[in-house]
Amino acid sequence: MVVIPVKLPSQSYEVVIAAGGRYQVGSYLEKLSNIASDVPLLIVSNPKIWQLYGQDIQLALKKAGFKSAHCVLPAGERYKTLKTLQKIYDAALAHRLERRSTLIALGGGVIGDMTGFAAATWLRGINVVQIPTSLLAMVDASIGGKTGVNHPQGKNLIGAFHQPRLVLIDPDVLKTLPRREFRAAIAEVIKYGVIWDPQLFSQLEALPRLDDHRYISPEQLLEILERSCQAKVDVVTKDEREAGLRAILNYGHTLGHALESIGNYRLFNHGEAVALGMIGAGAIATALGYWSEAEEAAQLQLIQKAKLPTSISAKLDHSDIMTLLSSDKKVQGGQIRFVLPKGIGQAEITDQVPQDIIAQALAKLCSVVAT
Amino acid sequence: MVVIPVKLPSQSYEVVIAAGGRYQVGSYLEKLSNIASDVPLLIVSNPKIWQLYGQDIQLALKKAGFKSAHCVLPAGERYKTLKTLQKIYDAALAHRLERRSTLIALGGGVIGDMTGFAAATWLRGINVVQIPTSLLAMVDASIGGKTGVNHPQGKNLIGAFHQPRLVLIDPDVLKTLPRREFRAAIAEVIKYGVIWDPQLFSQLEALPRLDDHRYISPEQLLEILERSCQAKVDVVTKDEREAGLRAILNYGHTLGHALESIGNYRLFNHGEAVALGMIGAGAIATALGYWSEAEEAAQLQLIQKAKLPTSISAKLDHSDIMTLLSSDKKVQGGQIRFVLPKGIGQAEITDQVPQDIIAQALAKLCSVVAT
Ligand SMILES: NC(=O)c1ccc[n+]([C@@H]2O[C@H](COP(=O)([O-])OP(=O)(O)OC[C@H]3O[C@@H](n4cnc5c(N)ncnc54)[C@H](O)[C@@H]3O)[C@@H](O)[C@H]2O)c1
Ligand SMILES: NC(=O)c1ccc[n+]([C@@H]2O[C@H](COP(=O)([O-])OP(=O)(O)OC[C@H]3O[C@@H](n4cnc5c(N)ncnc54)[C@H](O)[C@@H]3O)[C@@H](O)[C@H]2O)c1
Ligand SMILES: [Zn+2]
Ligand SMILES: [Zn+2]
């Protein structure tokens, strides 16, 4: 078991990583003074995850004397809307949630973000506990208090900062996670290695394959989770409200978002797009002398080991990508902002990348030999 | 002109009360370092208020070099919903609001609450400036950062704390406020006198009539606004997140909410219900020896001078009221919580009121001679 403390001005809490932890959720909650045991908790999930793990959580809560109700939302990013949120509010009302009440998010980032936002806004803020079940939610979405839903015309435009009371990660549930989801999240893990933790980077280099949990031992997985969560915690602790540093978490995301959207979120999923974005940003970093060609190659190798895409089809129009890049949220004053690695384990934000270097990086992305 | 500083851990700002202040909004905003002048501001209002004062605000902004767009929402409490909120989000998107952007709420509490909530949640929090146009919004809703919308089954259930960057009060706009709205808000002014500011109470006692702004000189009105806003600021500053003290602002509201809801929000509006609630709580306070009969009578006199209701129709069922009281948000562990005055200018929260004393107070409410 690993416990990572998160100390923020707004709230302190722990990220607990424990194999089989889902069977102990009741006893973890018992220890928290903020979680009332005389009012029912409301578990929010989606049909598949509820079927797989709902009962485990319910029973674990019951064992510790907690009553619980549940609210099962339709699955998928396209349901991450104000309209679906209404279902959580309706359940909150039906089960008479009070200010002292607690929502439990049991699911991937979609469930986590919506449940977190519902908790941020029901009665102007109630408790939320995150039990992430996807690798992405474990190492990224569940930590740091960003919550929200999508606007029909843009992702995560509606939201709030609201820290959880506890993040409980049970690595065992990754066994049922679809492989493509696992691989996609590995892109974010590689990201942490590149921008923050050189030891994580080395650990990933030492592993034979990164494309499925089956090739990673429970001990290795625990260490990957620990280092990734710690990286996120470190950055968030230094910059809770995304005033500056936290933006380095967007490494690979400037170009990534453009690629996701140009492929209509189907051609590349988020992690795949981020992988490509890191390759692009990595090429820019090399061109600017931020890091060495060897370091760029080492990053590429990890991405290949995760069986993430390493090239974009020549059919995608470069000028479209450029247009999209310029309309990205991270553009300030017309200049595109990039997060660039300065060697392994460090990153810097800059809006001073010449257009031709961006164009070269895009060209390179088309020529990288895919595995 | 009066300036009341609000110093909160989360944000500091000023409440500016200035006759004709709406013509100066641009220069007030210019002085604030947080308000970007290179991105358009978005003014949110309702059709009537926009027609009356929209142009004043637009021109004042333009004079100071600000660009602005506007978004006009349907008027009325029944539109204070997630669905109407969507219109603000759509406008925010259409006008490409950024993190540095600012919403301006121009209207009563309904517009203020919705705009504040939209600002709290768009891009996880952008600036909001409150320009309250109703007396209630001036002395109550615009100050303190409570924002939100209603759930079909309950008021203000969905919301967030989000402090404004500035509250700009122009008393001159009260000239167009319907009289019933003015009177209703006077109930909250009387409330501040009773629970917080004995000098405000005396000032109100010295005035011949309280039922319309026409009977109150500009100087008197300015002082009433100043003292009321100061009372709200004092309480909010001591307890931003409503952990304790802030609950005294609910004086008259325990019973008030029950009466509002039993009359289907038509028989009594909010202020009228609060007036009745204060009479009820006043009677309880007398019965418990918290204050004197003379003090209870003095409060009643102010309520009468405001031409607010002082009795409830015998047709309203007492047991219904009791049931509603027990289901109120302020009930904890089955005991009804009351805010009770301890003399003029002080209040205390208690859940130790015997049932028969509550019943007596309700009976008294039916027998008070209406003016
Ligand atoms: N709040 C943040 O800081 C933050 C950070 C990154 C991403 N996000 C958000 O997270 C979302 C993406 O998260 P995601 O990748 O987890 O997507 P997701 O929640 O849609 O989960 C992916 C899929 O895996 C399934 N799944 C999850 N856990 C499973 C398990 N243990 N077994 C079987 N199936 C399982 C889900 O049902 C879903 O079909 C996006 O909406 C994104 O905006 C938020
Ligand atoms: N956030 C808080 O702390 C807080 C506190 C108290 C009340 N509230 C909320 O405030 C709302 C009630 O506010 P309200 O009483 O201002 O209601 P309101 O916003 O509906 O305004 C009342 C009526 O007066 C009109 N009006 C407002 N200003 C006018 C003017 N200058 N000239 C002509 N007409 C004008 C409005 O169009 C409306 O028809 C409720 O939704 C309540 O929940 C919030
Ligand atoms: Zn990401
Ligand atoms: Zn009120």
Side-chain angles (χ1 to χ4, degrees), chain A residues 7 35 40 49-51 71 79-80 141-142 150 152 158 162 164 185 275 277 284 289 313 329 331 344 369:
Chain A
K7 294 206 172 72
I35 308 293
I49 298 164
W50 181 251
Q51 209 208 331
C71 163
Y79 290 104
K80 192 175 143 183
S142 67
N150 301 328
I158 300 159
H162 189 61
I284 293 173
S313 148
K329 268 188 287 184
V331 174
I344 301 293
V369 182

Side-chain angles (χ1 to χ4, degrees), chain B residues 43 57 97 138 144 185 312 334 340 343 350 365:
Chain B
I43 310 166
I57 303 295
L97 264 53
M138 290 177 184
I312 53 182
L340 299 179
T350 176
L365 255 187

Side-chain angles (χ1 to χ4, degrees), chain B residues 136 140 188 191 249-251 253 257 260 270-271 274:
Chain B
L136 185 88
D140 191 354
E188 309 277 357
K191 177 188 83 177
L249 297 173
N250 287 325
Y251 176 53
H253 285 60
H257 285 150
E260 255 185 298
H270 179 72
V274 168

Side-chain angles (χ1 to χ4, degrees), chain A residues 46 48-49 52-53 77 80 108-111 113 133-134 136-137 140-141 143 146-147 155-156 173-174 176-178 181 232:
Chain A
N46 77 20
K48 182 171 145 200
I49 298 164
L52 285 166
Y53 304 111
E77 181 78 30
K80 192 175 143 183
V110 167
I111 289 295
D113 278 12
T133 62
S134 71
L136 185 88
D140 191 354
I143 301 169
K146 277 200 195 178
T147 71
K155 279 195 64 176
N156 298 322
V173 304
L174 293 178
T176 54
L177 185 71
E181 300 294 342
K232 176 96 191 228

Side-chain angles (χ1 to χ4, degrees), chain A residues 103-167:
Chain A
L103 295 183
I104 297 184
L106 176 67
V110 167
I111 289 295
D113 278 12
M114 277 200 289
T115 309
F117 188 57
T121 53
W122 187 249
L123 306 177
R124 295 194 198 89
I126 64 174
N127 299 317
V128 64
V129 166
Q130 295 282 352
I131 307 185
T133 62
S134 71
L135 181 57
L136 185 88
M138 290 177 184
V139 299
D140 191 354
S142 67
I143 301 169
K146 277 200 195 178
T147 71
V149 297
N150 301 328
H151 184 278
Q153 283 160 70
K155 279 195 64 176
N156 298 322
L157 292 176
I158 300 159
F161 285 95
H162 189 61
Q163 301 293 340
R165 295 285 179 190
L166 170 73
V167 179

